[in-house]
């Protein structure tokens, strides 16, 4: 009986370097499998994560799924635009849609302007800053109509097409049709006419961002907007997703989530609260600037740096040294066991 080991002693005997390596290997394989599943489900592009999903943190700041959001101050934003302009690329943003999009345009322009700027010009919803080499436009097109399709076709003929187009619309069709379901079919047909010009613009490196519609606070709506319901908005969003998922357009899901999280703070039940508009602006800036600025806390839309020759050689040496050390450790362990016997 005295030769038998207690359960604690048996457990202690199993705690050794060999078993520790097995546990470490299982953990590594487990984490690798988990991230592989996430990448298969959501893709490897952190820009798509930025535009697709996220949540509000306790301090009401927005946290995208799978990557970090850098908070752009006006200094950061202007530094980014100067950097892009310095290397010969002009920044051209076009906002197209109804009053919801116009408010986003205004908030975006406020983010890139300073109190004193001699190179600044804002006329009829067109903001130009010669120092930063940026042009920001808002085009009033409240419905998905032939006018919007023609505008997209005009843009693809530009020698220098816009850098980014932010577009979205659904409220006016709901109001004009008094919530009629037949309007959704027309809306979907007109969206189909946008697919080809969006794809052509994508070939010229223009990113088209389709802003999905945020829910409304129906208790705050004025009587003339009583037909605008969240059920109607969901139907129009569904129609846009079905059509534009087959195109090169980027569906901006997180814009809807940002608005949904602050829907009760809307001033009139339809338009977004100022804080939500600022979150949307930060998402756009992270999408556009992060790959140029390489902020440590801005991993969304940042390309992974390529491995250098020095890094590869260093890792190879460390791996060889580690293998040699493990073999030496096992030899000493085996020798000590023989000696003790």
């Amino acid at each position: 009986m005295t030769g038998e080991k207690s359960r604690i002693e048996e457990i202690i005997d199993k705690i050794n370097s060999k078993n520790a390596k097995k546990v470490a290997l299982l953990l590594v394989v487990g984490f690798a499998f988990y991230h592989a599943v996430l990448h298969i489900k959501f893709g490897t592009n952190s820009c798509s994560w930025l535009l697709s999903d996220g949540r509000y943190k306790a301090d009401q700041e927005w946290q995208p799924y799978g990557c970090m959001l850098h908070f752009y101050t006006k200094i950061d934003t202007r530094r980014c635009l100067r950097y892009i302009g310095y290397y010969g690329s002009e920044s051209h943003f076009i906002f197209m849609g109804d009053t919801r999009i116009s408010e986003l345009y205004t908030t975006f322009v406020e983010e890139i302007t300073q109190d004193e700027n001699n190179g600044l010009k804002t006329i009829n919803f067109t903001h130009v800053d010669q120092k930063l080499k940026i042009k920001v436009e808002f085009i009033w097109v409240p419905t998905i109509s032939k006018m919007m399709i023609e505008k997209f076709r005009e843009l693809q003929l530009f020698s220098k097409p816009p850098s980014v187009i932010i577009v979205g619309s659904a409220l006016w069709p709901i109001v004009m049709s008094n919530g009629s379901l037949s309007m959704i079919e027309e809306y979907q047909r007109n969206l189909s006419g946008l697919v080809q010009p969006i794809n052509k613009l994508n070939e010229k490196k223009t990113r088209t961002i389709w802003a999905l519609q945020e829910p409304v606070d129906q208790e705050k709506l004025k009587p003339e907007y009583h037909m605008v319901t969240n059920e109607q908005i969901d139907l129009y969003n569904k129609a846009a997703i079905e059509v534009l998922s087959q195109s090169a357009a980027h569906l901006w899901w997180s814009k809807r989530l940002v608005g949904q999280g602050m829907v009760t703070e809307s001033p009139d039940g339809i338009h977004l609260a100022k804080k939500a508009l600022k979150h949307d602006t930060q998402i756009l800036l992270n999408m556009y600037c992060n790959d140029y600025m390489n902020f440590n806390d801005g991993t969304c839309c940042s390309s992974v740096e390529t491995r250098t020759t020095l890094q590869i050689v260093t890792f190879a040496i460390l791996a060889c040294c580690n293998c040699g050390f493990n073999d030496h450790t096992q030899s000493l362990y085996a020798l000590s066991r023989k000696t003790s016997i």
Side-chain angles (χ1 to χ4, degrees):
M1 295 293 292
T2 56
E4 293 183 1
K5 294 184 178 180
S6 65
R7 186 167 182 77
I8 296 176
E9 288 175 328
E10 289 177 355
I11 293 173
I12 292 173
D13 285 343
K14 291 179 180 179
I15 300 175
N16 52 52
S17 61
K18 187 176 181 180
N19 289 334
K21 289 177 184 176
K22 291 179 180 179
V23 173
L25 179 62
L26 287 174
L27 288 173
V28 170
V29 171
F31 279 118
F33 178 76
Y34 172 72
H35 283 285
V37 170
L38 291 181
H39 287 166
I40 291 171
K41 185 177 180 180
F42 298 102
T44 58
N45 185 356
S46 60
C47 261
S48 65
W49 302 345
L50 174 67
L51 296 174
S52 64
D53 203 357
R55 61 179 176 81
Y56 276 106
K57 297 187 289 186
D59 56 358
Q60 281 199 320
E61 292 301 322
W62 184 251
Q63 173 59 54
Y65 166 82
C67 59
M68 293 189 295
L69 196 71
H70 176 75
F71 179 79
Y72 277 83
T73 62
K74 287 192 175 186
I75 294 174
D76 289 340
T77 303
R78 296 177 68 82
R79 185 183 296 138
C80 162
L81 296 172
R82 282 197 191 96
Y83 179 88
I84 294 172
Y86 178 79
Y87 284 97
S89 299
E90 295 182 359
S91 300
H92 185 187
F93 285 77
I94 291 181
F95 293 79
M96 191 184 304
D98 53 23
T99 52
R100 279 181 161 182
I101 299 296
S102 74
E103 286 188 328
L104 181 58
Y105 158 83
T106 302
T107 306
F108 186 85
V109 169
E110 288 173 355
E111 186 62 33
I112 65 176
T113 57
Q114 289 182 330
D115 295 334
E116 297 180 4
N117 189 341
N118 297 327
L120 180 149
K121 180 173 64 175
T122 303
I123 301 174
N124 296 332
F125 288 109
T126 299
H127 172 87
V128 178
D129 191 327
Q130 300 294 347
K131 290 182 178 179
L132 301 179
K133 293 186 179 180
I134 184 172
K135 181 179 181 181
V136 189
E137 297 180 77
F138 170 70
I139 301 173
W140 171 258
V141 190
T143 61
I144 311 302
S145 58
K146 291 182 179 179
M147 178 182 175
M148 181 179 283
I149 296 171
E150 288 302 319
K151 191 62 187 177
F152 267 87
R153 287 176 177 165
E154 288 175 16
L155 293 173
Q156 73 183 64
L157 298 176
F158 285 11
S159 57
K160 290 184 178 180
S163 312
V164 182
I165 302 173
I166 299 96
V167 57
S169 171
L171 293 179
W172 273 58
I174 296 173
V175 175
M176 291 168 62
S177 67
N178 197 27
S180 172
L181 295 179
S182 62
M183 180 60 78
I184 298 177
E185 297 177 4
E186 182 180 342
Y187 179 86
Q188 202 161 16
R189 283 195 300 270
N190 290 337
L191 275 173
S192 300
L194 290 175
V195 171
Q196 185 179 12
I198 286 174
N199 291 343
K200 291 290 184 181
L201 284 166
N202 183 67
E203 292 173 4
K204 296 184 176 183
K205 309 301 181 185
T206 296
R207 280 183 283 193
T208 301
I209 312 297
W210 182 269
L212 294 176
Q213 296 295 303
E214 303 89 346
V216 297
D217 187 344
Q218 294 179 230
E219 295 181 358
K220 292 183 179 180
L221 295 179
K222 294 178 180 180
E224 57 265 33
Y225 296 121
H226 70 279
M227 71 291 293
V228 180
T229 65
N230 290 325
E231 289 77 13
Q232 284 274 327
I233 288 175
D234 287 342
L235 289 173
Y236 278 82
N237 278 337
K238 182 181 178 182
I241 292 166
E242 288 178 357
V243 174
L244 297 178
S245 292
Q246 310 303 318
S247 73
H250 302 274
L251 295 172
W252 192 359
W253 290 82
S254 57
K255 186 178 189 300
R256 182 183 183 281
L257 296 175
V258 168
Q260 180 178 330
M262 289 192 171
V263 65
T264 57
E265 297 182 30
S266 169
D268 58 4
I270 287 182
H271 298 98
L272 296 184
K274 196 67 178 175
K275 181 108 177 173
L277 289 168
K278 287 186 177 295
H279 288 323
D280 289 341
T281 300
Q282 288 294 323
I283 290 173
L284 289 176
L285 291 172
N286 274 262
M287 179 200 71
Y288 190 66
C289 287
N290 278 2
D291 209 21
Y292 296 100
M293 303 307 292
N294 292 323
F295 290 113
N296 291 331
D297 63 340
T299 60
C300 297
C301 293
S302 291
S303 301
V304 178
E305 294 183 8
T306 56
R307 296 179 181 86
T308 63
T309 305
L310 179 61
Q311 289 174 328
I312 295 172
V313 171
T314 302
F315 284 128
I317 292 173
L318 289 174
C320 292
C321 290
N322 185 51
C323 290
F325 176 77
N326 287 337
D327 292 341
H328 181 64
T329 303
Q330 289 178 359
S331 299
L332 291 175
Y333 177 74
L335 182 61
S336 64
R337 293 281 292 178
K338 290 179 180 180
T339 306
S340 60
I341 292 171

